[in-house]
Amino acid sequence: SGSGKTTIADLIMGLLEPSSGAITIGDRELSGGQRRVWREDIAYVAQDSMLIHDTLAANLAFGRSNIEEDDMWHALTTVSAEGFVRSLPDGLNTIVGDRGLRLSGGERQRITLARALLRKPELLILDEATSALDWENQAIVAAALNLLKGSITVITIAHRPSLISFADWIIALDQGRVIESGSYDEIAKSPDSYLARALRSEG
């Protein structure tokens, strides 16, 4: 906590400007009016899943008018949510309640993730998006994220190392500084690494 993870996410999204240096997307510097254009290509999922008191369909299509039902089912399948939605008496027409309270925490988070995917983003940022879930639901979400590899870029911010085991590249932060980076397997095999110590304490 307080190491700068969310600040980095805000910088990547163009919500903050760096005090020095530059942020580049590919070979394009992120500056000026390009920030707004870039944010159109980003989907962001935070720890608190915000759902409106309406149907599942309305929540999935929130803020967009061109979402087809087939697209919704495809996104739900991608995040392992199709089964529980089809089991509901009213399916996509189920009212989720205020802030989605008629759904479990894991179900709400998977609906939020499906909504993010419906934006067809170039970049998906998950900011502690699974930290409030139990281990079973964390595993479901992690498996869903693993299926996205190769299709979009995903940045996952997490305290628990087991939730980032699918990542191609790991960056560990401490008090605003990068203390180690590399592939998950490479760093985890180093017994003195921060990641290896965190894995031992988690187990």
Side-chain angles (χ1 to χ4, degrees):
S1 296
S3 64
K5 300 183 300 296
T6 298
T7 299
I8 287 179
D10 289 343
L11 287 164
I12 292 170
M13 289 188 288
L15 298 175
L16 295 176
E17 293 186 43
S19 56
S20 63
I23 296 173
T24 57
I25 310 300
D27 58 358
R28 187 178 78 243
E29 183 175 340
L30 188 61
S31 61
Q34 292 177 336
R35 291 191 181 91
R36 181 180 296 274
V37 176
W38 169 234
R39 284 196 290 269
E40 292 296 317
D41 293 327
I42 298 174
Y44 177 84
V45 179
Q47 177 177 338
D48 297 322
S49 306
M50 291 299 297
L51 299 180
I52 58 173
H53 183 46
D54 207 329
T55 64
L56 279 168
N59 274 280
L60 288 168
F62 186 74
R64 303 185 65 189
S65 60
N66 59 342
I67 303 296
E68 301 290 337
E69 186 171 319
D70 285 347
D71 296 328
M72 294 183 188
W73 285 116
H74 178 71
L76 290 169
T77 300
T78 302
V79 300
S80 303
E82 178 189 9
F84 93 77
V85 173
R86 289 197 184 279
S87 71
L88 296 171
D90 296 318
L92 288 171
N93 293 316
T94 299
I95 301 293
V96 302
D98 185 36
R99 299 175 64 87
L101 291 179
R102 293 181 183 173
L103 303 177
S104 71
E107 290 168 347
R108 287 197 300 272
Q109 202 66 324
R110 279 179 277 165
I111 294 299
T112 307
L113 185 54
R115 178 172 63 194
L117 294 180
L118 283 166
R119 290 176 53 87
K120 300 188 184 326
E122 286 187 40
L123 174 66
L124 172 63
I125 298 177
L126 306 177
D127 190 353
E128 301 283 3
T130 61
S131 61
L133 305 183
D134 58 31
W135 283 106
E136 181 180 358
N137 279 301
Q138 285 178 4
I140 291 172
V141 173
L145 293 174
N146 196 39
L147 293 175
L148 298 176
K149 289 181 73 169
S151 58
I152 63 173
T153 299
V154 180
I155 294 178
T156 303
I157 298 171
H159 278 90
R160 293 175 177 170
S162 59
L163 297 178
I164 54 174
S165 60
F166 56 85
D168 296 308
W169 196 257
I170 305 292
I171 298 172
L173 297 173
D174 184 32
Q175 297 183 19
R177 294 184 178 277
V178 175
I179 57 174
E180 62 190 22
S181 63
S183 72
Y184 183 92
D185 290 341
E186 173 191 351
I187 299 177
K189 287 177 181 175
S190 176
D192 295 326
S193 71
Y194 174 85
L195 178 61
R197 295 196 304 272
L199 283 168
R200 287 196 295 269
S201 66
E202 192 178 66

